[in-house]
Amino acid sequence: MNLLFLMTDQHRVDTLGCYGNPHVATPNLDRLAATGTRFDRFYTPTAICTPARASLLTGQAPFRHRLLANYERNVGYLEDLREDAFTFPGALKERGYQLGLIGKWHGGTTRNAASYGFDGPDLPGWHNPVDHPDYLAYLEERGLPPYRISDLIRGTTPNGNQGNLLAARLHQPEEATFEHYLATRAIEHLDRYAADGRPFFLAAHFFGPHLPYLLPDEYFDMYDPALVELPPSIAETFEGKPPVQRNYSEHWTFDTIPIEVTRKLIAVYWGYVTLIDRQLGRILDRLDELGLSGETSVFFTADHGEFTGAHRLHDKGPAMYEDIYRIPGIVRIPGEEPQVRTEFVTLTDCTATILELAGCDTGPAVDSRSLVPLVRGERPEWPGELLAEFHGHHFPYPQRMLRDDRYKLVVNPESVNELYDLHADPYELGNRYTHPELAPVRRRLMRRLYDLLRERGDNFYHWMTPMYDIGPSDYDPTLSAFEKEGTTR
């Protein structure tokens, strides 16, 4: 079985037609969803690039693989996986797979994709490396103009400086964009792998639609901002919530940007999604032309989401909202019927899925469940809850989240905890953690989160002390006095 893994970065699930967006043109991903399994509740294990991608690589939760932060803004964590860490490409290589990774590698500082056996140009970092020699050679060979931008959109920070760049107009045709370049290189790899005849795993990891949104005129102006319905959570007041969220809003300069510019930013983000969809379509079309679709499983997902103004925020950060934790997830296995599944699944589950499809042992991917039974239409026993974690970006900020069908609990040891009723408050505007009527729910979720963390071996459970409604009678009697006293680390 061949494996094609298509991945974007910082991609909101609500920008795809197959997930209900009536305005954004995503015909290629919609076609993939219509012929495969679309997961409606697909989540990242952590809403930050490097840890999420390391979880995909290893099938392990971030606390276990310990690659906890992006190296550009590291705060003292490890910057590479341990030498003895299990990774799925190693298992596939033992099975004789050709391995390719075209695009974003954000998995460490001393080891790159080639260190794990992948072919392809070395493209590290968080955003399109437009000065990379291979990209510059691509432009020169085709007589295409170099990267140049204008019409920069940014706000003003609290100290009066210019804020981070959010979007700009790119003075290149589509064929010169980094996205088109990545798709071209992926197609070239497909051609090589098809000629070789051995099974292959090929990943195409796009750097977008991560901000800043840098697009040619066609895509920058593709969508009328009047079409944009602002996210309801733009009414966020941050009342009763961790102060870090308000501080992040100021850092991302939301309140210094006129609301019509916010609409334009979202419209440009939509244009970015359509640009990438067209490049993904080129790859999928080539798969068809090579006659490989009937023997190739195709994945599409993202590492995490993006705020684009939701909760008066941009980018991602220490706020475990659906906007950045729920992501698109589509899997197409040849011969299986199209469907929509509503189980809670995660990016980490792709690891065991890849391993099973390749005929490898899934056991080493200890925090991963194969999605193959779900794609086959089976009804296996499956958890009715989702666990996610965060460790910091710019600064350490530990968080754990547990959500079930209705409620979401977020534990913030450095601040106030959060509890949301997602049926009554789907946009997570009202923190109900201290509301007396939800005390039984709060205790139940706290108890369950504590148990899950202990079962996993995640030492975050040390934070789960009696002050968080887990009384001494609830503790396992085998716990040490150190743990009973609530010592944090």
Side-chain angles (χ1 to χ4, degrees), residues 111-123:
R111 282 183 280 166
N112 58 14
S115 305
Y116 298 94
F118 290 114
D119 299 326
D122 181 22
L123 300 170

Side-chain angles (χ1 to χ4, degrees), residues 295-341:
E295 54 195 81
T296 304
S297 291
V298 181
F299 296 70
F300 170 73
T301 187
D303 57 355
H304 54 79
E306 151 79 87
F307 280 118
T308 60
H311 294 277
R312 290 166 51 198
L313 294 164
H314 292 286
D315 200 53
K316 67 275 185 186
M320 304 186 85
Y321 293 121
E322 295 289 286
D323 306 271
I324 60 173
Y325 276 83
R326 182 173 171 241
I327 55 177
I330 302 169
V331 181
R332 186 178 74 189
I333 298 176
E336 304 302 338
E337 293 296 316
Q339 59 177 327
V340 177
R341 301 297 298 235

